[in-house]
Amino acid sequence: MITVAIGVLLVAPATLIPGRWATVGAIWLYCRAMTGWMALCGLNLLVRRLHVLPDTEPAVIASKHQSWGDGICLVSRHRELTYVIGDHMLKYPLVGWILKRAEAVVVDNAGGKRTNGGLDTGLQALTASGRDVLIYPEGGLSEVGSKKRYRLGVYQLARVLNRPVIPVATNLGVFWPQQKWEFRPGLAIIELLDPIHPGDDPKAFITALEEAIETRTAELVKAGKRSLR
């Protein structure tokens, strides 16, 4: 909650400037400042394999979600990123307005009927923007060593937009646990994996995506825990 409050206070003035660029720039500066502060606290960040993002077309970035810092860290390295956000974030004052100005896609975090409506509403803007889009396939935070059910929203998004999906593994939760306001010294790694194309079989796609993310995440988590000892 503290990260949200600080971010809102710093970003909100930028929303008074017409257009998306000022709000997105303020969010990016905040994320850069946060990763800088992490480093001062002894937690360094390494984002690996950004080169797998296609140069010729936008992609859907499907990331493991262990910490509130996941989005902060990715945005700090990728300024022009659109994000799919659960509607639980709207309970924080001004957050909804900031997300609207940043042209984020807001969906039902509970995975109900509004999820598809939220995606449908954002598809036109995503198609027109040509920006990479970040989504969390599990729909929310999962503790280190655990996982939630991978939802079909990521498949629907990639399929309709006709974009490749870049799986993302991480061990950030080892060093910045979920919603806690504490850092453990070490090297947090966020790693982009080889692209997966949605194809015609949603179940096969979700299975492949889950296997790629969970397998590499487990390896990174193991290495991260060893570094704490």
Side-chain angles (χ1 to χ4, degrees), residues 9 104 110 172 191 214:
L9 290 175
L172 182 63
E191 184 171 312
E214 295 298 329

Side-chain angles (χ1 to χ4, degrees), residues 158-182:
R159 181 74 172 172
V160 173
L161 293 173
N162 191 28
R163 297 183 181 183
V165 176
I166 309 296
V168 177
T170 183
N171 65 3
L172 182 63
V174 173
F175 306 97
W176 183 348
Q178 290 200 314
Q179 301 180 33
K180 293 182 180 179
W181 189 244
E182 63 180 46

Side-chain angles (χ1 to χ4, degrees), residues 1 26 29 35 40-42 85 90 99 133 135 145 169 179 196 207:
M1 182 178 293
L29 288 172
T35 55
L40 288 175
C41 295
I85 301 291
L90 301 182
L99 293 175
V133 56
I135 186 171
Q179 301 180 33
I196 301 176
T207 298

Side-chain angles (χ1 to χ4, degrees), residues 5 9 41 105 211 229:
L9 290 175
C41 295
V105 178
E211 182 178 358
R229 297 174 183 172

Side-chain angles (χ1 to χ4, degrees), residues 8-82:
V8 166
L9 290 175
L10 293 176
V11 174
T15 65
L16 300 176
I17 301 174
R20 175 181 180 271
W21 68 271
T23 300
V24 170
I27 292 173
W28 177 76
L29 288 172
Y30 163 69
C31 292
R32 294 289 291 185
M34 281 295 298
T35 55
W37 185 44
M38 287 163 53
L40 288 175
C41 295
L43 173 53
N44 295 303
L45 172 67
L46 176 60
V47 180
R48 286 179 177 165
R49 305 185 79 235
L50 278 170
H51 68 272
V52 303
L53 288 172
D55 293 328
T56 57
E57 62 179 339
V60 174
I61 300 173
S63 178
K64 184 70 178 175
H65 197 16
Q66 298 176 337
S67 167
W68 270 11
D70 291 321
I72 290 171
C73 292
L74 273 173
V75 172
S76 75
R77 299 298 190 269
H78 191 340
R79 174 173 172 166
E80 284 302 315
L81 186 63
T82 298

